[in-house]
Amino acid sequence: SQQGEEDPQALSIQEGENATMNCSYKTSINNLQWYRQNSGRGLVHLILIRSNEREKHSGRLRVTLDTSKKSSSLLITASRAADTASYFCATVLLTGGGNKLTFGTGTQLKVEL
Amino acid sequence: DARVTQTPRHKVTEMGQEVTMRCQPILGHNTVFWYRQTMMQGLELLAYFRNRAPLDDSGMPKDRFSAEMPDATLATLKIQPSEPRDSAVYFCASGPTGSSYEQYFGPGTRLTVT
C-alpha cells in the first residue's frame, strides 16, 4: 500500500474555521511534504518539514511531524473558499529513495461560504 | 515565472494507438518525474530521471510504456499500444537536487483511450 495514508478522506468546513488533516506513513523518512491540488490542475508544493523538525509554519499553514508515531498534520487556519482543494502528504525516504516522493491518498477539503 | 509545461493537455485516442506525451522541465532542474493519477490508484510514480539518466522506472509497465529524456529540456512518455486502462491524468514534475526535495508539477495530460 502507499507510504502515506490521510485522514479524513473528505472534510467540509465553513469559511473562517480551521482545517486539520492528518497523514500517517510507514518507513523512516528524510522529509515530509504537503501539496495542494485544485480540481483539474497540477499539484502545488506547500511546505516541507524535515525529519529532525517537529513543527513548521508558513503563513496560515502549520505542519507538525511526529517521527515516533510516523505521522504528520497540516493545519490551515482561518480557512477561505479559495482553500477548497485536495491536499496530499508526500514522503521522501531516509535511504534508497533518492528524490522520489511517495504520495498519500489525499484529503478533499471543501470550504463553504 | 518558471513552470513545467506539458503537451498535449488532452488526448483522446483509440485502443492500440501510440500516445506520446511531452514535458519541458524548469530550466536548471535536473530531476524529472512522471506520475499517473487515477481515482482508483491515486498518484503513482512511473519514472524518475536525474541528469537525464533513468534512475527508477519500476512503477511503469515495461511492455507498453517507455520514458526518455532526449535532452535536458524535453522528457517524453510513450504508450504503445494504448489500452483503455491507461486512461488517466499524467503529470510531469521537475525538481532541483541537493538538499531541496520539493517538486514542481506541470498541468498534466488527460488521456482517454476508447
Side-chain angles (χ1 to χ4, degrees):
Chain A
S1 62
Q2 290 183 312
Q3 167 79 327
E5 299 292 333
E6 285 161 78
D7 166 56
Q9 287 189 321
L11 179 61
S12 183
I13 59 174
Q14 298 294 119
E15 197 172 50
E17 294 180 337
N18 296 341
T20 299
M21 289 158 267
N22 302 295
C23 167
S24 61
Y25 58 91
K26 295 180 179 176
T27 57
S28 296
I29 60 170
N30 175 294
N31 66 76
L32 184 145
Q33 303 174 35
W34 287 89
Y35 287 77
R36 183 187 72 223
Q37 184 179 33
N38 289 84
S39 180
R41 310 288 290 274
L43 282 79
V44 175
H45 178 264
L46 294 176
I47 195 166
L48 179 153
I49 187 165
R50 299 187 187 280
S51 60
N52 61 353
E53 297 175 308
R54 291 296 166 259
E55 188 171 312
K56 204 162 184 180
H57 296 256
S58 177
R60 293 184 296 113
L61 305 180
R62 173 178 169 250
V63 171
T64 62
L65 180 65
D66 186 335
T67 53
S68 67
K69 295 181 179 178
K70 292 187 170 55
S71 67
S72 174
S73 67
L74 172 67
L75 169 68
I76 304 174
T77 60
S79 63
R80 305 167 182 167
D83 295 328
T84 295
S86 293
Y87 291 81
F88 295 88
C89 68
T91 52
V92 174
L93 295 180
L94 182 61
T95 58
N99 292 61
K100 289 195 303 184
L101 287 174
T102 303
F103 282 88
T105 50
T107 292
Q108 286 188 314
L109 173 65
K110 183 175 182 180
V111 181
E112 300 186 85
L113 294 170
Chain B
D1 185 22
R3 296 185 183 189
V4 175
T5 59
Q6 289 186 248
T7 57
R9 294 293 311 277
H10 303 273
K11 176 74 175 178
V12 180
T13 191
E14 292 184 348
M15 183 172 64
Q17 297 298 305
E18 177 178 303
V19 175
T20 298
M21 291 169 269
R22 294 177 174 80
C23 166
Q24 182 172 8
I26 292 172
L27 190 65
H29 284 186
N30 56 358
T31 57
V32 174
F33 305 82
W34 282 104
Y35 294 91
R36 174 171 63 183
Q37 186 176 36
T38 61
M39 289 295 294
M40 293 299 295
Q41 299 297 325
L43 269 161
E44 303 173 281
L45 178 67
L46 297 175
Y48 161 30
F49 292 80
R50 181 186 292 161
N51 296 323
R52 296 175 54 201
L55 290 192
D56 188 342
D57 60 2
S58 58
M60 202 164 65
K62 302 290 192 305
D63 56 339
R64 298 184 300 108
F65 285 59
S66 63
E68 295 179 345
M69 280 202 73
D71 61 62
T73 64
L74 177 64
T76 63
L77 180 67
K78 290 186 180 179
I79 308 174
Q80 168 64 10
S82 58
E83 297 181 2
R85 59 179 168 152
D86 301 328
S87 297
V89 181
Y90 291 81
F91 289 103
C92 174
S94 71
T97 52
S99 61
S100 177
Y101 291 89
E102 61 262 32
Q103 295 181 15
Y104 297 80
F105 280 73
T109 294
R110 182 174 294 276
L111 174 66
T112 303
V113 183
T114 60

